[in-house]
Each structure stands twice: as C-alpha cells, then as structure tokens.
Amino acid sequence: TNQVLGVLPVSVSTNGGPDDYLYAPVSEVQVDVKNNLVTVSGAFKQGCFRFKRIEVVQNTPTVILVKPIINKESLVDCDFGNYPFSEVRPLPAPSKGRKLVHVRALNGRSINKLFTRY
C-alpha cells in the first residue's frame, strides 16, 4: 500500500559479533520482588573471564534490561573447566504492575523473566 507503518531505528555495529559487548553465559535469572533484586547465574567455561560491569536499566515502564558485561583478563593460562558465578544487583525503583526482566547472554542469546509487583 506504500504507507509507512512505523520507524525502526538501526545503529551501526561496533564489532563483527552478535552484540556490542561480550556477555556472560547466563543460564538462570531470579527476581526477588520483596527485596527488589535480580540474580543472574551460570558458569564460565574458562577461568580467565571476569565481570567488567552489570548494567541494570529501565528505559520503558514495563521492561528492565540487564547487561552482564564480561571481559577476558588474560590470553595465556586460561584454564578450561566449570567456573560458576552468581551475581546480585538491585532493580530500578519499584513500581506496581507486570514487568519483564530481559537479560542479555553469551552468543546473542537472552533470558526473559516476568514478574508482578502489587
């Protein structure tokens, strides 16, 4: 029909990978509504990865974005194995209603968790 249905902003990629950052291999997300906390957990497959920072932002009233950004500390002596992690961060200021926590994960994946605040 040649009608504009909407606008989809697209940014230029900052690297050749699926994401702008290297994210942790998150396998589980827990939301503690009472204490207003989110826990991300999983396991690194190499011992030289560390958390650089974990960003928790809410740009819309219903979606909270969690970005567990990691980096590789050493290119040598990086042992393979199972290195579990569990990181807890505060959620943005509580407001009533249904929310989605969207957690970015390794290799362009994500984990989503719904919760309701009363």
Side-chain angles (χ1 to χ4, degrees):
T1 64
N2 211 18
Q3 293 179 335
V4 175
L5 299 176
V7 177
L8 178 64
V10 177
S11 299
V12 175
S13 176
T14 59
N15 63 54
D19 291 305
D20 289 337
Y21 301 104
L22 182 60
Y23 295 116
V26 176
S27 59
E28 186 177 346
V29 176
Q30 296 178 345
V31 176
D32 180 347
V33 178
K34 181 180 176 185
N35 295 306
N36 203 45
L37 300 170
V38 62
T39 302
V40 294
S41 51
F44 295 115
K45 299 300 178 203
Q46 292 178 303
C48 55
F49 285 99
R50 300 287 181 268
F51 282 93
K52 185 175 183 178
R53 67 183 180 274
I54 298 178
E55 296 177 6
V56 180
V57 295
Q58 185 171 1
N59 294 329
T60 70
T62 57
V63 179
I64 299 167
L65 172 62
V66 179
K67 297 196 286 186
I69 301 168
I70 60 173
N71 61 0
K72 200 172 195 178
E73 286 196 339
S74 171
L75 296 177
V76 294
D77 298 328
C78 194
D79 296 332
F80 286 91
N82 189 40
Y83 300 91
F85 64 84
S86 183
E87 296 287 326
V88 180
R89 294 295 185 275
L91 290 168
S95 62
K96 291 182 180 182
R98 196 155 171 84
K99 311 288 181 196
L100 171 74
V101 173
H102 174 76
V103 181
R104 301 276 172 88
L106 188 64
N107 294 329
R109 297 179 184 219
S110 65
I111 297 177
N112 297 294
K113 191 72 101 174
L114 287 169
F115 70 97
T116 303
R117 286 190 176 127
Y118 298 97

